Amino acid sequence: FLSLSLQAKMSRPVQAQRLEGIDKNIWVEFVKLAATYSTVNLGQGFPDFPPPDFLKETFMRALSGENHMLHQYTRAFGHPPLVKILAQFFGKLLGRDLDPMTNVMVTVGAYQALFCCFQAFVDEGNEVIIIEPFFDCYEPMVKMAGGTPVFVPLRPKPPKDGKLASSADWQLDPAELASKFSERTKAIVLNSPNNPLGKVFSRGELELIADLCVKHDILCISDEVYEWLVYDGKEHIRIASLQGMWDRTVIIGSAGKTFSATGWKVGWTVGPNRLLQHLRTVHQNSVYHCATVAQEAVAQGFQRELELYGKPESYFVQLPKELQQKRDWLVQSLDAVGMKPIVPEGTYFLVADISEFKSDVPDVPDSDEPYDSRFAKWMIKNKGLAAIPLSAFYCGAHKNNYNHFIRFCFAKEEATLKAANNILQKWKREKTSP
Amino acid sequence: MLFASRSFCCLGIRTYQLRTDLLSRSIKLSASATMAFRHKNTRRIEGLDSNVWVEFTKVAADPSIVNLGQGLPDICPPRYVKEELAKAAAVDRLNQYTRGFGHPSLVKALSQVYERVCGRKIDPLTDILVTVGAYGSLFSTIQALIEEGDEVIIIEPFYDCYEPMVKMAGAKPVFIPLRYKNDGNSASSADWVLDPAELAKKFNSKTKAIILNTPHNPIGKVFTREELQVIADLCIKHDSLCISDEVYEWLVYKGNKHIKIATLPGMWERTITIGSAGKTYSVTGWKLGWSIGPQNLIKHLQVVHQNTLYTCPTPLQEALAQAFWIDYKRMDDPDCYFYSLSRELESKRDRMAQLLQEAGLKPVIPDGGYFMIVDVSTLNVDLSDVDEKQPYDYKFVKWMITSKKLSAIPLSAFCGPETKRQFEKYIRFCFIKKNSTLDAAEVILKNWNKQTA
């Protein structure tokens, strides 16, 4: 015999309500598919080339050294050598004096930095503006914090005659953006350079956003993990350096993207103590410490880069140069077969319009699944080429707005990109042959 | 406000200008009034900003201080563990993302080790989650399964993060203290027990979970099968979950056995068992831990994980997997690190106890773990002139750090508000320290009484 209260308890779901609607995850599905079927994986965003030699050497030196305390806890808010160099480096970039103890906090990847921001600042009833297309975790993180995501899309302007589409063509409508702000708005998430489009927001675009942040007195969570990956001489502008923005912005960075070592999971936040103190509270009540040895290696990596800043041997100069070349190869490959690339100004992602290949994957009118998702899955299984559907980067209600695009990652060895080209060429030949 | 300015468009330009000026000024005024609101922290972290470690690790960072405070080994991890990390980092693809819920070779190794220990099949993909330290497992578990309206029973003294984590999840911590049963002179961690009737009263229809920590930090208690059965019975009766923090599972001393509450009848389906690489292999800086349990619970922890940090570092997980294989293969061999470490620590425990006893103190000899608590009230150090409104043990430790150059952790940091008075005469020492550290502590303790002149 069970008491009524016990019966009631047993009939409730065991999990907390904060998990509602955030259990699905595109990566779990697509990573599995890529692992099973793909011969060329341009899907998930990570390099298939190694981190730079100097970084690997640093890691090895740290391990073989006398200091076995590198295997024990370090300072919870960031290993002192790392926060010191980050404060120096970003202080220089922002033209500010940064205190390593209060203006910098190290996290388990930029992912955990985002989590800390939402947990620290988003309460039930708060709205957070998210620009579409967006790195998919923003939406579930806002929801998990009890907030309401409010979406505003980048809209493509048609490219000039004869020119290839550019990520710069995708723009916010200023009036539309302004209309998204309300008295419930707590923050806006900015991601520049933007994943998946590769857009590098211009000064004018950032000023537009900044003006609204200041006017409505909201916070800006600025995800700048691809800050070094900008092409064609473009400049990555940090919104925190704009008038009125330092005090209300948390800047997020990533060693994984900076040093091509995504598996190290070292990220950071930079901002005013007023905001970072709350990130520290979340951090000390969730993971507390980050792994020591990776932080030590990243610190030394940054030390080297500080010394070589702006010089041709700097990794921050060489990496974007290499990636630009890879971008151009992929653009060429796609353009040659009729997939229309949107040339990215930054990041190592490229989105292409697959409309000309639609005949391969017939439309299913009443399908729940967005077209591009079905297309991408078909392509992985039948062509062995893995990419991610653009709809993955839109909220549920907007998944069918831009459903004929897929995202490729080009942070890959030349051999991988050549293999991708072969698949595409063969595919094209099969389509055109009688 | 946009509507307002549009409707004023019909009026003369001068009037329009005046209105928009007024509008923008009022926006500025209301903005500054709400500025404090806008940038304010969320309710969930209100009051959770202070932290005993932030306070005491800073103080003890001075290298001239003999640090027996934070639970941090200053002994070397086993050589092969470090070697495996070097090997892993040399493999290019191991420097990139791995599987979110746990690197395949690691979850496989964990499932093998724990299948053997638990005597049941454990699916590496669905029954295990790898997290950033056991700390991350506690967080994932609590965020996944605990919410507003729930009560969570916490046994005092407790590892300090349990309370703020429960609060951050919006739930209510319900405390129950371990009580010292006065049995004469023997002071062993086994003398600290829960009162079964008192415990039963703490359970009600709101009790979502109880947090169990065995071997226990800070007392070092290793819960017996009978004691676990009392807890298990109540969990089953009230359909509550058990969050079992077993990070010190291998550190049990002669005459004691670590028993997993998840292996008791009716408990596997309602228990999350948490383990730690840091404590298992003396590599606290690797920050790798794991949660093991039934799929229908672990899947919710995995959802939290995929929305908090997604994946843990790859080379560390690979190295840990290899280390586990090495020790898994010799689990019948006394040289297995799981057993050799506890033997090494037992002699350090005994030495620590002797040093404290020779200084006139009465340490509580732990049956497990690497901490030892001691009642310092017998030293009669008068700190009534110290102004701060802190419990006696906080003042004592700060005084001891400055005047004796020896650090420890005050026990009231591990208590709820009602029990602080009960435990404020105790401090906690960590003894997973190399011989030279213990030698330095010995010198201080031997000279203790001499210096008070």
Side-chain angles (χ1 to χ4, degrees), chain A residues 22 110-119 122 135-147, chain B residues 305-310:
Chain A
I22 64 168
Y111 214 97
Q112 195 230 336
L114 287 160
F115 179 73
C116 287
C117 286
F118 294 120
Q119 289 286 310
V122 179
F135 179 54
D136 69 298
C137 81
Y138 303 157
E139 182 185 5
M141 282 194 185
V142 167
K143 284 178 160 165
M144 189 172 160
Chain B
H305 188 78
Q306 89 197 16
N307 288 298
T308 53
L309 49 96
Y310 205 93

Side-chain angles (χ1 to χ4, degrees), chain B residues 252-271:
Chain B
V252 284
Y253 306 123
K254 269 203 286 287
N256 297 281
K257 187 171 191 298
H258 172 66
I259 295 163
K260 290 181 166 302
I261 197 170
T263 59
L264 269 54
M267 288 306 287
W268 170 258
E269 59 252 38
R270 62 184 66 255
T271 306

Side-chain angles (χ1 to χ4, degrees), chain A residues 9-10 14 16-18 71-72 111 119 145 183 186 217 257 262-265 274 284 287-288, chain B residues 35 38 42 44 49 53 95-97 135 143-144 146-147 207-208 238-239 282 284-285 287 306 309:
Chain A
K9 185 183 195 178
M10 286 170 82
V14 69
Q17 254 192 310
R18 67 177 65 83
H71 297 282
Q72 306 307 334
Y111 214 97
Q119 289 286 310
E183 67 269 13
K186 189 75 186 281
D217 191 29
K257 310 295 190 272
T262 59
W264 288 20
K265 290 292 290 187
R274 210 162 62 83
Q284 89 196 16
V287 306
Y288 202 18
Chain B
M35 191 160 161
R38 293 277 188 222
T42 49
R44 71 177 62 86
D49 48 320
W53 308 110
N95 285 286
Q96 307 303 335
Y97 291 133
Y135 215 96
Q143 284 286 310
I146 308 293
E147 60 187 336
T207 309
K208 189 69 186 281
H238 294 272
D239 191 30
S282 309
T284 59
K287 283 295 292 190
Q306 89 197 16
L309 49 96

Side-chain angles (χ1 to χ4, degrees), chain A residues 346-400:
Chain A
T347 77
Y348 45 51
F349 299 112
L350 186 160
V351 170
D353 181 338
I354 44 91
S355 303
E356 275 188 34
F357 285 71
K358 274 179 132 167
S359 54
D360 281 311
V361 183
D363 226 332
V364 172
D366 292 319
S367 171
D368 263 342
E369 193 177 3
Y371 179 81
D372 56 354
S373 179
R374 288 181 38 246
F375 183 93
K377 286 183 188 170
W378 179 91
M379 189 174 80
I380 296 177
K381 289 183 184 158
N382 294 278
K383 300 295 170 191
L385 178 62
I388 304 293
L390 195 68
S391 57
F393 306 97
Y394 282 86
C395 69
H398 300 165
K399 278 194 194 301
N400 287 304

Side-chain angles (χ1 to χ4, degrees), chain B residues 85-130:
Chain B
L85 183 54
K87 273 200 251 169
V91 177
D92 288 344
R93 67 177 167 74
L94 292 179
N95 285 286
Q96 307 303 335
Y97 291 133
T98 183
R99 174 177 171 267
F101 303 143
H103 187 51
S105 61
L106 177 57
V107 292
K108 189 90 195 2
L110 287 168
S111 74
Q112 299 280 78
V113 170
Y114 286 102
E115 272 180 5
R116 204 193 128 117
V117 172
C118 297
R120 72 175 298 134
K121 194 101 192 57
I122 295 174
D123 184 317
L125 302 182
T126 60
D127 300 347
I128 301 180
L129 173 67
V130 175

Side-chain angles (χ1 to χ4, degrees), chain A residues 58-369:
Chain A
T58 288
F59 196 88
M60 292 306 175
R61 259 201 320 272
L63 285 182
S64 61
E66 287 298 302
N67 185 10
H68 65 261
M69 290 311 280
L70 281 181
H71 297 282
Q72 306 307 334
Y73 293 130
T74 181
R75 178 177 167 270
F77 303 130
H79 188 51
L82 179 55
V83 292
K84 285 197 180 105
I85 192 74
L86 287 172
Q88 241 184 309
F89 205 98
F90 286 94
K92 182 182 154 121
L93 292 172
L94 293 164
R96 262 179 197 276
D97 236 319
L98 297 182
D99 178 350
M101 301 292 134
T102 58
N103 297 133
V104 182
M105 187 182 83
V106 175
T107 55
V108 181
Y111 214 97
Q112 195 230 336
L114 287 160
F115 179 73
C116 287
C117 286
F118 294 120
Q119 289 286 310
F121 299 116
V122 179
D123 247 326
E124 185 121 10
N126 290 160
E127 290 180 1
V128 177
I129 297 173
I130 297 175
I131 299 167
E132 289 178 308
F134 57 92
F135 179 54
D136 69 298
C137 81
Y138 303 157
E139 182 185 5
M141 282 194 185
V142 167
K143 284 178 160 165
M144 189 172 160
T148 305
V150 170
F151 301 98
V152 59
L154 286 163
R155 294 181 185 282
K157 287 188 156 64
K160 292 198 175 67
D161 265 339
K163 292 197 96 188
L164 286 170
S166 159
S167 56
D169 300 332
W170 289 63
Q171 296 168 13
L172 291 170
D173 176 322
E176 187 179 15
L177 176 64
S179 73
K180 302 292 179 177
F181 286 74
S182 78
E183 67 269 13
R184 288 176 303 279
T185 311
K186 189 75 186 281
I188 181 168
V189 184
L190 172 68
N191 176 217
S192 181
N194 164 282
N195 170 11
L197 281 175
K199 178 182 178 63
V200 174
F201 284 69
S202 67
R203 184 172 292 276
E205 289 172 314
L206 294 175
E207 277 168 356
L208 172 72
I209 296 170
D211 285 347
L212 286 162
C213 286
V214 171
K215 174 176 172 182
H216 295 272
D217 191 29
I218 67 152
L219 300 174
C220 179
I221 299 168
S222 186
D223 176 352
E224 304 184 21
V225 297
Y226 301 103
E227 57 189 313
W228 302 110
L229 309 186
V230 287
Y231 311 122
D232 309 316
K234 277 231 148 56
E235 191 197 349
H236 168 67
I237 298 162
R238 295 181 172 80
I239 197 171
S241 62
L242 268 53
Q243 182 91 355
M245 290 306 288
W246 166 256
D247 264 324
R248 62 183 67 254
T249 305
V250 177
I251 308 170
I252 293 173
S254 156
K257 310 295 190 272
T258 295
F259 289 111
S260 311
T262 59
W264 288 20
K265 290 292 290 187
V266 174
W268 53 82
T269 54
V270 172
N273 182 49
R274 210 162 62 83
L275 297 181
L276 255 62
Q277 65 180 332
H278 302 307
L279 301 184
R280 291 194 290 269
T281 303
V282 175
H283 184 75
Q284 89 196 16
N285 287 299
S286 55
V287 306
Y288 202 18
H289 295 88
C290 302
T292 312
V293 64
Q295 292 188 66
E296 175 68 26
V298 172
Q300 296 197 31
F302 263 108
Q303 188 64 53
R304 176 202 194 261
E305 287 303 305
L306 184 64
E307 286 156 24
L308 292 174
Y309 188 71
K311 302 207 172 82
E313 318 95 277
S314 155
Y315 189 66
F316 299 167
V317 169
Q318 291 184 337
L319 181 63
K321 213 157 136 209
E322 269 177 47
L323 285 172
Q324 180 167 326
Q325 165 104 108
K326 294 176 193 290
R327 175 197 71 168
D328 295 343
W329 280 337
L330 185 60
V331 165
Q332 236 173 15
S333 291
L334 293 167
D335 192 36
V337 302
M339 278 194 187
K340 301 201 184 62
I342 299 166
V343 182
E345 301 155 275
T347 77
Y348 45 51
F349 299 112
L350 186 160
V351 170
D353 181 338
I354 44 91
S355 303
E356 275 188 34
F357 285 71
K358 274 179 132 167
S359 54
D360 281 311
V361 183
D363 226 332
V364 172
D366 292 319
S367 171
D368 263 342
E369 193 177 3

Side-chain angles (χ1 to χ4, degrees), chain B residues 173-231:
Chain B
V174 171
F175 300 103
I176 176 168
L178 285 165
R179 294 182 189 283
Y180 177 59
K181 60 171 198 253
N182 201 339
D183 245 349
N185 279 325
S186 124
S188 153
S189 58
D191 298 331
W192 292 76
V193 298
L194 288 174
D195 177 334
E198 188 181 10
L199 180 63
K201 282 210 202 80
K202 301 287 179 179
F203 276 80
N204 60 47
S205 59
K206 294 207 188 89
T207 309
K208 189 69 186 281
I210 178 169
I211 301 178
L212 171 69
N213 178 216
T214 181
H216 181 267
N217 172 11
I219 295 182
K221 178 183 178 62
V222 174
F223 283 71
T224 63
R225 184 174 292 278
E226 295 69 34
E227 289 174 314
L228 294 176
Q229 195 62 62
V230 169
I231 296 171

